[in-house]
Amino acid sequence: MDYIKVYQQWLNNDYFDEATKEELRGIRNNKKEIEDRFYKSLEFGTAGLRGKIAAGTNRMNKYIIAKVTQGLSNFIVTQGQEAMKRGVAIAYDCRHYSDEFAKTAALVLAANKIKAYLFESLRPTPELSFTVRRLNTISGIVITASHNPKEYNGYKVYWEDGAQILSYIADPITENINNIESFNDIKKISEKEAKEKGLLKVIGREIDREYIEKVKSLSLRDNIDKDIKIVYTPLNGTGNIPVRTVLKERGFTNIIVVPEQENPDPDFTTVGYPNPEDVKAFKYAENLGKSVGAEILIATDPDCDRLAIMVKDKNGEYVAFNGNQTGAILIKYILESKDDKGQLPSNGAIIKSIVTGDLGKAIAEKYGVKTFETLTGFKNICGKENEFEKTGEYKFIFGYEESIGYVAGDFVRDKDAVISSMLLCEAAAYYKTLEKSLLDVLNETYEELGYYREKLISLVLEGVEGQQRIGRMMDVYRSEFPNKIGDSNVIKYIDLQIGKEFDLILGKESKSEIPKSNVLKFILDDESWYAVRPSGTEPKIKIYMYSKGDTLEAGENKLKIMEQAIIGKLNSVK
């Protein structure tokens, strides 16, 4: 793509408004910025779109939203009149331009005679998944950049099963997007006309109520201490109303919300990087927790599909749980409760991603529940759940991944922090009746099953050069990975790009059952393992490291040795 030529086209085409052109004129002397904005188009894939908000083909703006929605519309039209009538549900979060982008998408759909169901105001991402299934729409759209910084926004597409699209849907949508030669080919209709023709319907409270009732139906115990003191922060996102509503209606009496982070704020003024996986996001919650004596702190990310927690220890300090630990606690609570009530199915299954730790799997094995692995991303976890629903071979109980995403039940096909907030608070309240904190429960689990330790490192490499270097890192590591780390040997590795597993002890290779992706996974002879992959949505290469030791110290020492070897090798690639 000749980025200067495309830049000039945007400046000279009457399709683009004056504000956009003025923004672009402001970078006319910055060749590097022009290149970054126009050297490619934002790539649509199974993760949808995500990028910085600005004018340009490699940015999030109303024109890119309209073009992508036209491509989606063209694909839906090929599915026939019934699909067009079923329509598309649309939700959005608290970010800059989210409401405008959502309405743009709705009107492009309507202009293509596809009915759009648009939420009246911001809603959590999992409620969109629920809505697709509830209204039986052919598709769904969420405008969100999840936990990314304020400069970002995104566009995620769901299909009729309520899960994010997989490649068999994403690929033809992408083809339709790429076939749009001009922005002038995008169809338009006014909001007034769309409503008059019944092609745009605004939705809200009725769906909210049904969703809340469904979440509450997942409750497992009522003999719990509902006076447990919990501090909650929605991090200025969409979780405030639904999470508090569910907890209140479940009878919790001591939910204290961080006032500075209660209401929507697209600038995330109090937190900057609104990712609850980063313990710095808990600063306000910690301060409030200490002042009120909270036993647990919970935080949801801006689109309320991810949950993180901190638990007070015996010294009055708060200890952060990572996604593997929180997932393990939820698995233990759910399986233990179902087992106690005689509700544990004989064909029960949990699903985790390939880069998620094995503590949850060990707990599941204890209860006779099988664990399945998928590629990263809840589209893959819920895609597996959809398989179970069709075949009936297994009964889905719980899905999770290390990046603090969890779901239970069968009415949402994405990670859901409203569901997981309720179950986590319920677990804490139940174990409190046994005079245990969640930290006590976690430590008891380690003592019983082994000290599973983990660490995620992300090397951030932005821009064109960063993307190219990430590619080189993956290429070099494929052929030059360390065969030995400390005293441990690599006994098996999986290269999902070619879909093969290699047994280095037996000297055999076999086909992997997991779909192809740019992921490398290495298993060591001491039950440690690690995986390397580029992020699908951010300018990062990610390294997931896992160890298992007889003691906490042994597990931590293994991680340090792994980190030194792996990061050293990656950083040597220039």
Side-chain angles (χ1 to χ4, degrees):
M1 182 184 284
D2 183 342
Y3 62 88
I4 294 295
K5 183 179 177 182
V6 180
Y7 169 68
Q8 293 293 343
Q9 287 172 352
W10 277 54
L11 281 174
N12 298 321
N13 189 336
D14 289 340
Y15 182 85
F16 302 102
D17 63 25
E18 187 57 32
T20 298
K21 292 179 180 179
E22 188 61 29
E23 180 186 335
L24 292 175
R25 290 187 199 106
I27 62 168
R28 61 181 175 272
N29 297 321
N30 189 339
K31 191 173 181 180
K32 189 173 180 63
E33 179 68 11
I34 294 171
E35 179 185 17
D36 194 47
R37 290 197 192 193
F38 288 96
Y39 83 97
K40 67 172 186 176
S41 292
L42 271 183
E43 293 176 9
F44 181 87
T46 57
L49 294 174
R50 191 175 295 176
K52 291 180 178 178
I53 303 166
T57 58
N58 191 32
R59 293 290 187 269
M60 287 293 296
N61 52 69
K62 62 185 178 183
Y63 303 109
I64 297 302
I65 294 289
K67 182 178 179 181
V68 170
T69 308
Q70 184 62 55
L72 172 63
S73 300
N74 292 346
F75 176 67
I76 291 173
V77 168
T78 69
Q79 305 302 297
Q81 283 291 324
E82 183 63 28
M84 294 168 69
K85 285 180 184 175
R86 287 169 64 186
V88 179
I90 306 171
Y92 58 93
D93 71 4
C94 60
R95 289 176 178 272
H96 288 293
Y97 301 103
S98 282
D99 54 349
E100 181 182 341
F101 291 169
K103 186 170 286 188
T104 296
L107 293 180
V108 171
L109 289 162
N112 285 274
K113 298 183 174 145
I114 298 166
K115 188 162 186 177
Y117 295 89
L118 177 64
F119 271 101
E120 62 189 359
S121 59
L122 75 176
R123 291 297 192 281
T125 288
E127 187 172 347
L128 184 279
S129 172
F130 168 77
T131 303
V132 169
R133 295 175 67 84
R134 170 63 184 81
L135 297 180
N136 191 34
T137 61
I138 189 66
S139 183
I141 298 168
V142 177
I143 306 297
T144 179
S146 188
H147 56 281
N148 284 71
K150 64 180 181 180
E151 296 85 6
Y152 286 78
N153 213 326
Y155 180 108
K156 294 199 290 190
V157 178
Y158 293 70
W159 206 237
E160 59 186 330
D161 55 19
Q164 289 182 56
I165 53 172
L166 295 169
S167 57
Y168 77 96
I169 297 292
D171 291 348
I173 294 174
T174 300
E175 186 178 350
N176 276 282
I177 294 167
N178 293 339
N179 287 339
I180 298 170
E181 295 182 1
S182 167
F183 281 95
N184 298 96
D185 295 336
I186 298 167
K187 295 180 181 178
K188 291 183 175 181
I189 192 173
S190 70
E191 182 177 353
K192 182 173 181 289
E193 185 182 356
K195 286 181 175 177
E196 286 174 352
K197 289 184 174 180
L199 290 166
L200 174 60
K201 181 177 180 181
V202 176
I203 58 175
R205 293 181 183 180
E206 185 178 334
I207 295 289
D208 295 343
R209 195 63 250 163
E210 292 188 33
Y211 170 67
I212 294 295
E213 291 300 324
K214 281 285 193 180
V215 174
K216 285 159 53 183
S217 74
L218 296 176
S219 172
L220 290 163
R221 295 183 188 268
D222 213 47
N223 58 328
I224 59 178
D225 186 345
K226 294 178 181 177
D227 290 330
I228 186 171
K229 194 168 284 189
I230 298 167
V231 162
Y232 168 53
T233 173
L235 294 179
N236 303 111
T238 61
N240 182 41
I241 293 174
V243 170
R244 291 173 73 179
T245 299
V246 166
L247 293 178
K248 181 180 178 181
E249 293 184 12
R250 279 288 293 117
F252 286 93
T253 58
N254 263 324
I255 307 297
I256 304 118
V257 179
V258 175
E260 299 91 343
Q261 297 172 336
E262 177 179 2
N263 297 315
D265 173 12
D267 290 318
F268 307 110
T269 311
T270 61
V271 67
Y273 178 41
N275 182 1
E277 200 170 11
D278 184 345
V279 72
K280 291 193 288 292
F282 277 89
K283 180 182 175 182
Y284 281 75
E286 275 196 84
N287 290 340
L288 180 58
K290 287 181 177 178
S291 70
V292 300
E295 293 151 81
I296 186 170
L297 317 176
I298 65 173
T300 54
D301 68 340
D303 67 325
C304 198
D305 60 355
R306 308 197 323 154
L307 168 78
I309 69 168
M310 295 185 80
V311 179
K312 187 164 70 173
D313 66 15
K314 288 179 169 56
N315 299 317
E317 297 299 319
Y318 291 103
V319 178
F321 280 35
N322 61 39
N324 289 294
Q325 294 166 329
T326 304
I329 287 290
L330 285 166
I331 289 168
K332 178 178 172 61
Y333 174 67
I334 292 168
L335 299 187
E336 186 177 42
S337 299
K338 285 182 176 291
D339 193 41
D340 285 351
K341 298 166 79 172
Q343 296 176 354
L344 199 57
S346 59
N347 61 341
I350 66 170
I351 307 170
K352 73 180 187 72
S353 76
I354 191 174
V355 296
T356 297
D358 291 335
L359 180 57
K361 180 180 179 181
I363 295 168
E365 284 176 357
K366 179 182 170 184
Y367 287 94
V369 172
K370 189 173 175 62
T371 299
F372 291 83
E373 287 194 349
T374 69
L375 292 175
T376 56
F378 256 75
K379 59 184 177 287
N380 297 304
I381 289 171
C382 292
K384 193 73 177 175
E385 180 187 355
N386 289 334
E387 286 181 28
F388 294 164
E389 188 174 65
K390 288 174 185 173
T391 66
E393 186 176 0
Y394 289 96
K395 175 66 176 174
F396 174 78
I397 297 174
F398 186 73
Y400 77 117
E401 57 184 2
E402 46 66 48
S403 55
I404 63 173
Y406 326 94
V407 73
D410 60 3
F411 56 89
V412 169
R413 296 296 158 92
D414 203 352
K415 52 188 176 289
D416 189 331
V418 183
I419 290 173
S420 46
S421 291
M422 183 193 76
L423 289 173
L424 198 285
C425 291
E426 201 176 281
Y430 167 66
Y431 291 121
K432 187 182 177 185
T433 66
L434 305 180
E435 299 183 345
K436 298 176 184 179
S437 72
L438 294 184
L439 190 59
D440 294 329
V441 175
L442 180 64
N443 287 329
E444 285 178 2
T445 306
Y446 283 145
E447 288 171 18
E448 179 187 0
L449 301 174
Y451 285 84
Y452 290 80
R453 310 305 294 164
E454 55 273 308
K455 187 171 185 178
L456 167 64
I457 296 177
S458 296
L459 302 179
V460 180
L461 298 163
E462 294 188 321
V464 184
E465 296 88 351
Q467 188 178 48
Q468 292 170 345
R469 189 177 173 205
I470 287 172
R472 289 194 299 273
M473 284 177 165
M474 292 299 296
D475 289 343
V476 169
Y477 211 89
R478 275 194 161 82
S479 57
E480 300 178 15
F481 62 85
N483 286 300
K484 192 176 183 72
I485 294 181
D487 296 328
S488 302
N489 297 302
V490 175
I491 58 171
K492 180 180 176 182
Y493 75 95
I494 303 166
D495 186 344
L496 289 180
Q497 185 157 274
I498 59 173
K500 288 187 176 181
E501 299 185 7
F502 299 87
D503 188 319
L504 301 182
I505 302 296
L506 300 176
K508 291 183 178 180
E509 64 178 66
S510 57
K511 184 180 178 182
S512 172
E513 294 182 3
I514 298 172
K516 291 183 178 181
S517 184
N518 192 7
V519 181
L520 294 167
K521 185 172 181 178
F522 301 87
I523 295 93
L524 307 181
D525 57 13
D526 62 355
E527 294 189 70
S528 301
W529 61 269
Y530 70 95
V532 182
R533 76 173 183 93
S535 170
T537 56
E538 299 169 288
K540 296 176 178 179
I541 186 166
K542 293 187 170 185
I543 305 95
Y544 305 80
M545 298 180 297
Y546 290 89
S547 67
K548 181 185 176 186
D550 295 331
T551 65
L552 177 63
E553 185 180 16
E556 292 290 350
N557 284 338
K558 285 183 184 180
L559 285 180
K560 290 175 184 175
I561 294 167
M562 291 170 73
E563 179 178 349
Q564 188 174 8
I566 300 162
I567 302 301
K569 181 62 182 177
L570 287 171
N571 281 335
S572 72
V573 181
K574 300 303 180 186

